[in-house]
Amino acid sequence: MSPIFRGARFENHEVPLDVLPDLAAYRDLVADVARHLFLVRSPKRKRVPKGFANSFELVLRRIDEGSAIPVLERVPPASRAGVRPPFGATADPFVEARDLIDEVIAAAASKRPIPHDFPEALLPRFNQIGRGLRGNESVEFRAPNRPSGPRFDREVRKWLVLRTEAGYEDNVEITGELRGGHIDREVLNLRLDEGREIEVRCASRAVSEYLPSRSKRVRVIGWGLYDRHDRLERVIRVDDLALLDDEEDTWSPASIDQQFARLQVLEPGWYEPESPAPTPEGLERVRLFLHAVLDGADLPRPHVYPTPDAGVSAEWSLPDWEVGAAFDPLGERVELHATHLRSQAGSEEEIQLSSANAAETFARFVASFCPPAS
């Protein structure tokens, strides 16, 4: 299988670390569909044979040229000591599962009924695939010897999950008023601008830190559960939480230096156990670059936060656009992206920070999405 990632982040023969969990989720889905197919084709069996799960292992052999194409290869069971195919001479259920998943994604992309062979109970598992994709990115799952494959993006994921579930999961970026919380339950209560209250799940230490700020306005970035009408029900993971300026009704981030001071004290494992901390050298390069951008242009101050791969991201929430800048861990390259809030139209650009006029090019990109001065 060759998943072809589409989008500016993938054009330089690179796969960002934040999309690798999508490939692991795909592998797990193939294994579970294969287990279902084997049992359907073997009605006298109540469970799969011993060694069934161990007979399926995917590895990332290489990344092909073009828009990043990681090639996933199956390790032949015969090449692994003590492991033999447990399904004998019958059809390989893992290959059948791969092809069936392709058919399901293709059906969802064109809003057709899903194949009846696919177990509906596994449709919610698509929530775990594509979580690393941004608004205008997608992945094409291409099987061997096929000229193309089905396109999977956030809309396809949503459509599949809502076949059986009352809600779906997606990115969250909201503001609201803190109304309390519960340390033991690890939740903060947030009143949205529309008047509803929702729960925000976060670590107990974050709850204890922000509870004294009750009645303060905050901005939350993370992952949330939405109903089928795209209404946010609760935040299930927080990536960043920041207090709003007391005197303004809009989010006002801290100074660049204050924000980077918080990033400088992060330790390994700050996000997940294997997450590296940003390097001092990379942080300093990005900090100085953002100073050069903001000192030379009339731009709003961005919110800066760390990324799981030890990089840095800067975000602007504008009236009609979300504009972001993803800096690599070394602070040598930045990928700019902008998404229109209503149409989901997008624009992307990549800049080497060492190139001439890098700061001017960066500022010009961001300014092109800012509302004209009144």
Side-chain angles (χ1 to χ4, degrees):
M1 169 66 70
S2 300
I4 305 175
F5 287 92
R6 311 286 190 188
R9 289 194 298 162
F10 312 107
E11 291 176 355
N12 289 325
H13 194 51
E14 299 170 346
V15 178
L17 292 181
D18 55 357
V19 302
L20 293 183
D22 295 350
L23 301 181
Y26 172 81
R27 173 205 60 203
D28 294 343
L29 180 59
V30 171
D32 285 344
V33 173
R35 183 180 295 106
H36 166 82
L37 293 176
F38 181 88
L39 293 175
V40 167
R41 287 155 176 68
S42 308
K44 295 183 179 181
R45 301 192 64 105
K46 294 184 178 180
R47 60 181 62 89
V48 296
K50 183 179 180 181
F52 186 88
N54 290 337
S55 71
F56 180 64
E57 181 181 349
L58 289 182
V59 295
L60 178 57
R61 293 288 189 195
R62 65 185 190 276
I63 300 178
D64 283 350
E65 295 287 351
S67 187
I69 308 174
V71 179
L72 302 180
E73 294 185 8
R74 182 180 177 188
V75 178
S79 70
R80 303 173 65 227
V83 179
R84 297 180 179 179
F87 31 87
T90 61
D92 188 330
F94 296 102
V95 173
E96 291 187 40
R98 178 200 65 193
D99 294 342
L100 181 56
I101 292 171
D102 279 1
E103 294 177 24
V104 170
I105 295 174
S110 57
K111 304 296 187 294
R112 292 183 285 106
I114 64 171
H116 68 275
D117 289 344
F118 190 89
E120 283 195 348
L122 293 181
L123 283 174
R125 297 286 297 280
F126 282 99
N127 238 333
Q128 306 304 314
I129 303 176
R131 292 169 72 107
L133 297 176
R134 295 174 180 168
N136 53 349
E137 295 175 346
S138 64
V139 56
E140 175 188 331
F141 290 102
R142 183 177 298 180
N145 303 316
R146 296 182 186 173
S148 63
R151 177 188 176 96
F152 188 89
D153 57 19
R154 294 165 68 182
E155 283 302 312
V156 169
R157 182 185 63 199
K158 172 183 172 182
W159 191 89
L160 285 169
V161 173
L162 290 180
R163 296 310 92 194
T164 58
E165 298 293 293
Y168 67 98
E169 297 174 8
D170 210 340
N171 294 299
V172 166
E173 186 168 344
I174 54 173
T175 60
E177 180 185 350
L178 280 177
R179 302 297 296 169
H182 198 290
I183 295 176
D184 291 338
R185 291 178 54 216
E186 297 188 321
V187 297
L188 287 168
N189 298 325
L190 184 69
R191 177 178 291 173
L192 301 178
D193 293 341
E194 63 193 67
R196 291 190 300 120
E197 285 196 12
I198 63 170
E199 287 190 346
V200 176
R201 299 196 61 85
C202 51
S204 56
R205 66 185 183 193
V207 177
S208 61
E209 177 184 351
Y210 281 92
L211 272 181
S213 300
R214 179 173 178 168
S215 299
K216 296 282 189 178
R217 287 177 55 76
V218 296
R219 182 174 189 261
V220 179
I221 298 174
W223 195 258
L225 178 66
Y226 294 80
D227 66 17
R228 60 178 57 252
H229 303 295
D230 302 322
R231 190 175 79 154
L232 179 64
E233 294 188 332
R234 62 181 177 273
V235 177
I236 58 179
R237 189 192 77 208
V238 171
D239 295 333
D240 192 76
L241 183 65
L243 288 173
L244 301 178
D245 187 272
D246 289 335
E247 299 180 357
E248 299 183 15
D249 193 44
T250 58
W251 170 59
S252 180
S255 72
I256 292 298
D257 290 342
Q258 288 175 321
Q259 294 187 71
F260 273 84
R262 292 198 292 265
L263 272 57
Q264 289 165 356
V265 298
L266 290 175
E267 298 179 352
W270 65 271
Y271 181 68
E272 292 181 341
E274 66 276 12
S275 298
T279 66
E281 297 81 7
L283 288 176
E284 183 63 6
R285 290 193 188 101
V286 177
R287 185 186 72 84
L288 293 175
F289 180 79
L290 286 176
H291 267 301
V293 170
L294 297 175
D295 293 346
D298 184 19
L299 293 175
R301 188 186 298 159
H303 178 66
V304 180
Y305 58 92
T307 60
D309 64 348
V312 174
S313 182
E315 301 285 344
W316 286 262
S317 290
L318 304 173
D320 296 314
W321 292 84
E322 288 289 338
V323 179
F327 294 87
D328 74 329
L330 297 178
E332 297 176 344
R333 178 171 51 84
V334 60
E335 295 165 350
L336 293 163
H337 55 90
T339 303
H340 193 265
L341 297 177
R342 290 185 295 277
S343 69
Q344 296 299 303
S347 181
E348 299 172 335
E349 188 168 343
E350 182 175 315
I351 301 172
Q352 297 293 329
L353 271 60
S354 60
S355 63
N357 302 319
E360 292 84 349
T361 303
F362 185 107
R364 188 162 49 248
F365 181 93
V366 177
S368 66
F369 303 100
C370 293
S374 56

